Amino acid sequence: CLDKILSWREENKPNDQEEGTELTGGGGLSDKVSLYKGDITVLELDAIVNAANSSLLGGGGVDGCIHKAAGSCLYDECNSLNGCETGKAKITCGYDLPARYVIHTVGPVARGHVGPTETNDLTSCYQSSLRLMKEHGLSSVAFPCISTGIYGFPNEPAADIALNTVKNWIEENPDKITRVIFCVFLETDFAIYKKKMSVIFQDN
Ligand code: AR6
């Protein structure tokens, strides 16, 4: 694993991003976002986002699924990263996943409470993940519903934060992102996202 990790880090230094990548197609907001219900580990994209914990050493939920599907090299690379603070993100290879990279972000532990700290931290998870994509020249990504499982962030406000933060980012960085998939796992989230997306991503 170490050789793989070192060569990947060398090839993917932040300044190595592709320059001048141009969008093809219409480029409207609604062309770039989609809703998918199912397992994030099967998605073949530049990156998938992991709802990790601050140790980055795996756990249950989507984190457990991603580590299982990526294989043990992912654990080894995560083990070399010195953890991650709430609201921040770190990137690794995707190893056995169809996605090239995994962006690990640590959502707030909300336990049903949504105050300014929880809101800011969850917003920061999406922003930090998108910033890492930009730094690495990546253009397609899938997000799970960060913090809404074991960490107990209520689904409806979490969806508002996810959708509005991604929308603002795409508007501010129109040439960088070609595809964002909101990957929901539960029927309740599917219904919430479907309703909100039709309003938030309405092209004028
Ligand atoms: N694909 C997509 N979404 C999934 C999958 C999957 N395979 N499996 C679960 N989900 P959670 P959190 C959904 O609990 O709340 C871990 O132990 C799930 O239904 O995975 O941020 C970490 O190590 C929910 O909608 O993440 C941390 O300790 C969403 O993913 C802690 O859980 C997030 O639920 C993080 O808790």
Side-chain angles (χ1 to χ4, degrees):
C1 292
L2 192 59
D3 286 349
K4 256 183 174 175
I5 294 168
L6 292 177
S7 65
W8 178 83
R9 281 192 184 155
E10 189 54 35
E11 284 163 19
N12 290 280
K13 282 182 193 155
N15 288 337
D16 262 2
Q17 61 189 286
E18 284 172 24
E19 287 189 71
T21 311
E22 284 197 4
L23 263 184
T24 53
L29 260 181
S30 58
D31 292 341
K32 295 184 182 179
V33 295
S34 52
L35 179 59
Y36 163 83
K37 180 169 172 283
D39 183 4
I40 202 166
T41 66
V42 304
L43 298 178
E44 198 177 332
L45 296 165
D46 287 342
I48 59 170
V49 174
N50 182 18
N53 60 58
S54 58
S55 76
L56 295 183
L57 298 180
V62 69
D63 194 9
C65 294
I66 288 173
H67 273 270
K68 188 167 175 221
S72 62
C73 286
L74 179 63
Y75 177 89
D76 289 345
E77 184 174 1
C78 285
N79 201 17
S80 73
L81 296 179
N82 286 319
C84 182
E85 290 170 31
T86 301
K88 302 275 170 58
K90 293 196 175 175
I91 190 166
T92 65
C93 306
Y95 298 101
D96 294 343
L97 290 164
R100 290 164 61 208
Y101 304 105
V102 180
I103 295 173
H104 307 263
T105 190
V106 183
V109 181
R111 293 194 195 94
H113 175 74
V114 183
T117 306
E118 289 80 11
T119 300
N120 290 341
D121 284 345
L122 189 59
T123 304
S124 175
C125 286
Y126 287 91
Q127 289 171 336
S128 305
S129 302
L130 291 161
R131 194 173 306 118
L132 270 181
M133 284 187 66
K134 185 176 175 178
E135 287 169 3
H136 290 270
L138 310 181
S139 57
S140 60
V141 66
F143 283 100
C145 304
I146 300 163
S147 270
T148 62
I150 293 163
Y151 281 176
F153 203 112
N155 302 57
E156 187 102 34
D160 282 324
I161 291 168
L163 295 168
N164 284 306
T165 307
V166 167
K167 183 193 181 201
N168 292 340
W169 184 274
I170 295 175
E171 283 176 344
E172 285 160 20
N173 300 270
D175 298 340
K176 301 292 178 197
I177 307 255
T178 57
R179 194 164 182 211
V180 177
I181 297 178
F182 294 99
C183 176
V184 299
F185 205 59
L186 307 174
E187 191 52 46
T188 47
D189 282 318
F190 185 77
I192 290 170
Y193 272 72
K194 197 170 171 210
K195 193 179 75 193
K196 291 183 185 294
M197 283 174 76
S198 67
V199 177
I200 293 174
F201 292 105
Q202 208 175 32
D203 286 326
N204 296 320

